[in-house]
Amino acid sequence: MAPAVHLGSGKVRELYALDDERLLLVATDRISTFDVVLPTEIPDKGRVLTGLSAFWFARTRSICPNHLLAVRSDGRSTECRRLEMLPIECVVRGYLTGSGWKDYVATGSTSGHALPPGLVESQELPEPIFTPATKATTGHDENIDAETAVELVGADRFREVERIALALYRFASAHAHERGIIIADTKFEFGLDPDGVLVLADEALTPDSSRFWPMDGYRPGQAQPSFDKQFVRDYCESLGWDKTDPGPELPENVVAGTRERYIEAFALLTGIDFDAYLDNPEIVLR
Ligand code: Q0N
């Protein structure tokens, strides 16, 4: 087999070309917090995210085709169809948090959606909203309104990604809700296949591409703890670290607690034992 050509690195993932039609996406065990990749890894984090993403791809095929071709036996690498990516991040928000909350406090709107007055931080929105963002090559993605997104992808494609992203979010949100997890918001990336068909790409509905909150203890009116990263954030806050690179090393109790949270999210959402996934990653596709 020809060697895979490295195409690029994300904060926590690596992308390789297998051939003209296929990519290899590798989820590492790196973890980022406050936008900084920490020097300490969380063992199996990449496998958890790969398994979860593959689980959602298998279960959302009737909503939208996706790029997944195969999950490799290492549990962290996936072979994917190589697509022409759309130049927008497709964010769906069901709850008011993060930059959506910041926009709302400043302007009463986010990405051109006028929201009712009096909403509090972390409140569930009356309806999920599609809030596209630009793909920043450096720094932060910037929320854009529908008009700007239409300029980037065209009016028909915009309506299509909005409809599909909302349908994907509603499906996953309902599934997660039944299992004690709130998906506050999530980011999808889409591409086009050679026939111009819209295809879901990247990772989908993982804790790195979404905000997962434990349903137990959900309290509108304040920031919510993160299902997966709260131990890491609390530890970093306790150090008084200034949140610039390099981040701190994590002690083993924080690593172990965080690893357990990822594995718990995997088991709750998939109903599959994580050891069974390690044994045979294709189990999530059935
Ligand atoms: C692609 N990104 C951004 C890996 C992920 N199926 C695809 N076809 C063509 N290009 C891409 C995909 C996918 N997925 C997606 N870059 C290229 C996300 N990257 C960031 C780095 O790590």
Side-chain angles (χ1 to χ4, degrees), residues 30-246:
R30 300 195 292 265
I31 186 169
S32 72
T33 191
F34 305 113
D35 278 326
V36 173
V37 178
L38 300 180
T40 311
E41 297 192 332
I42 306 299
D44 294 321
K45 171 176 177 280
R47 292 190 174 93
V48 166
L49 269 61
T50 298
L52 203 45
S53 195
F55 170 83
W56 292 119
F57 282 144
R59 279 154 188 81
T60 58
R61 247 175 230 136
S62 62
I63 301 173
C64 181
N66 61 67
H67 72 164
L68 181 66
L69 294 169
V71 185
R72 290 196 169 175
S73 60
D74 65 5
R76 68 169 72 252
S77 311
T78 52
E79 299 174 9
C80 304
R81 283 193 280 160
R82 199 168 186 170
L83 306 166
E84 185 192 320
M85 299 301 289
L86 298 185
I88 58 172
E89 310 269 12
C90 295
V91 178
V92 179
R93 301 172 190 277
Y95 293 74
L96 198 50
T97 185
S99 66
W101 167 242
K102 282 200 188 74
D103 291 346
Y104 174 74
V105 169
T107 70
S109 300
T110 185
S111 297
H113 295 268
L115 297 173
L119 298 177
V120 298
E121 185 174 15
S122 307
Q123 190 168 340
E124 185 173 17
L125 293 168
E127 297 285 339
I129 55 173
F130 181 61
T131 63
T134 55
K135 293 188 186 186
T137 35
T138 61
H140 266 116
D141 296 342
E142 194 187 332
N143 291 337
I144 55 178
D145 59 14
E147 189 181 19
T148 308
V150 164
E151 287 170 13
L152 290 166
V153 301
D156 290 355
R157 198 63 82 178
F158 176 81
R159 279 195 296 276
E160 185 184 19
V161 291
E162 176 175 53
R163 175 174 57 83
I164 297 296
L166 287 168
L168 290 167
Y169 174 79
R170 286 183 191 280
F171 170 82
S173 175
H175 177 98
H177 210 264
E178 289 167 12
R179 290 156 182 84
I181 294 177
I182 292 171
I183 303 180
D185 53 31
T186 195
K187 182 201 81 178
F188 300 109
E189 290 195 36
F190 292 93
L192 304 181
D193 77 6
D195 296 327
V197 173
L198 187 73
V199 178
L200 178 61
D202 204 52
E203 61 175 325
L205 297 159
T206 70
D208 275 7
S209 66
S210 322
R211 286 187 178 89
F212 286 7
W213 295 338
M215 212 143 80
D216 274 5
Y218 167 62
R219 299 273 184 282
Q222 57 192 66
Q224 304 303 301
S226 158
F227 193 97
D228 47 304
K229 288 183 177 169
Q230 203 54 44
F231 294 141
V232 172
R233 294 202 183 135
D234 289 349
Y235 175 72
C236 290
E237 295 284 10
S238 79
L239 296 176
W241 166 50
D242 67 2
K243 296 167 189 173
T244 63
D245 201 48

Side-chain angles (χ1 to χ4, degrees), residues 255-270:
V255 172
T258 302
R259 179 175 180 275
E260 285 309 313
R261 290 298 275 173
Y262 280 108
I263 290 169
E264 187 185 356
F266 176 93
L268 283 170
L269 289 171
T270 66

